[in-house]
Amino acid sequence: MVGLLRPLSAAATLLLAPATPLTGSSVSASSVGGRRWRSVRADAGGGWLSGLLGGKGGGASTAMMVTPGTVKAGDPVLHEPAQEVAPGDVLSEKVQGVIDRMVDVMRRAPGVGLAAPQIGVPLRIIVLEDTQEYISYAPKKDIEAQDRRPFDLLVIINPKIKSTSKRTALFFEGCLSVDGYRAVVERHLDVEVSGLDRNGSTMKVRASGWQARILQHECDHLEGTLYVDKMVARTFRVVENLDLPLPTGCPQLGAR
């Protein structure tokens, strides 16, 4: 979801199915509900600590590093709405396997959130987790400004999200599917998400601050929306330039 926590060296691979090597990447094919899809995902090493969050919105210099196990911007699976998971399929080996792979990719990246389309699977599933260790890599002033607190792993199937207040905030975000870049995005500060957990039970999460931002970012993925579709365009930059001043006329970071 947003920013880097710390630089990562080696990377893990993960995949949906055996794939045929391409130049620096591979193609996987699978199906859900009778529909087949093909997705290109990178195999190169590297990664950034928080496919979605950390520091002012970024962190260490990692531009152009590729997060293994994730498909990248331009792949159709990231730009089309995902399909709902039938309640009766939640406990199936296929869906549980997708969830396990998502958690593995998110943690190996490492990141704080991931949506199923990011591993090439067009299903409405998100996972998110923010730990005290991840948060410790961000400057204290940014942690306070972002209202960032640790929370345990959440797996949400068929999430439905709504804002619960009119409060918003602007901060930098990044994405494991758009490696090496950041941009400012305005998000609601308070949301409620309902859906199913990985056991098929109904669940509801009320969140604020940074956790609310992660939930919005991940739910956007399920609609085929990337953060760059919502960004303040003139703030878009490579990670190395994250700390440079915002252009004249851009909104200031923080709550509004």
Side-chain angles (χ1 to χ4, degrees):
M1 212 194 116
V2 188
L4 279 188
L5 300 180
R6 60 178 168 82
L8 255 219
S9 50
T13 53
L14 128 51
L15 287 170
L16 306 177
T20 303
L22 276 172
T23 305
S25 58
S26 58
V27 177
S28 62
S30 189
S31 64
V32 170
R35 175 187 175 190
R36 291 181 62 78
W37 74 90
R38 288 163 59 84
S39 292
V40 178
R41 54 116 178 117
D43 277 334
W48 52 307
L49 192 31
S50 184
L52 286 182
L53 311 169
K56 172 175 162 188
S61 172
T62 54
M64 310 316 295
M65 297 295 279
V66 177
T67 304
T70 57
V71 297
K72 304 304 175 184
D75 190 307
V77 73
L78 292 176
H79 303 282
E80 299 173 355
Q83 305 168 38
E84 286 211 349
V85 178
D89 291 339
V90 171
L91 297 179
S92 68
E93 183 177 350
K94 176 185 288 186
V95 171
Q96 292 295 312
V98 167
I99 293 170
D100 288 340
R101 289 198 296 276
M102 290 173 65
V103 174
D104 183 59
V105 169
M106 177 181 69
R107 288 174 171 171
R108 288 176 181 270
V112 296
L114 198 74
Q118 291 183 274
I119 62 167
V121 179
L123 290 178
R124 300 183 76 84
I125 306 172
I126 63 173
V127 299
L128 55 155
E129 177 183 55
D130 203 4
T131 68
Q132 189 59 56
E133 178 190 0
Y134 288 0
I135 294 172
S136 70
Y137 299 119
K140 184 177 180 179
K141 62 180 179 60
D142 294 333
I143 296 170
E144 294 175 351
Q146 295 164 349
D147 187 18
R148 187 174 173 188
R149 302 176 301 277
F151 58 86
D152 294 333
L153 175 68
L154 285 172
V155 176
I156 310 177
I157 299 167
N158 300 336
K160 292 180 173 55
I161 188 168
K162 66 179 182 179
S163 60
T164 55
S165 80
K166 294 182 179 181
R167 300 191 307 152
T168 65
L170 294 106
F171 288 109
F172 276 97
E173 289 187 21
C175 182
L176 294 174
S177 293
V178 189
D179 285 297
Y181 297 91
R182 301 288 187 279
V184 172
V185 181
E186 184 173 10
R187 299 280 189 187
H188 290 287
L189 278 170
D190 306 283
V191 300
E192 179 179 280
V193 179
S194 58
L196 302 176
D197 64 19
R198 71 176 303 167
N199 297 314
S201 300
T202 58
M203 64 178 296
K204 184 177 292 185
V205 178
R206 293 181 67 89
S208 61
W210 209 239
Q211 185 181 18
R213 180 171 291 265
I214 300 172
L215 284 164
Q216 290 168 85
H217 180 109
E218 300 309 333
C219 286
D220 275 355
H221 274 299
L222 304 184
E223 302 304 326
T225 299
L226 299 180
Y227 82 92
V228 294
D229 298 317
K230 293 185 170 183
M231 68 183 179
V232 178
R234 286 183 295 163
T235 67
F236 186 66
R237 59 191 59 197
V238 295
V239 172
E240 288 90 341
N241 290 341
L242 186 63
D243 292 324
L244 294 183
L246 295 175
T248 301
C250 287
Q252 294 301 305
L253 301 184
R256 305 190 73 169

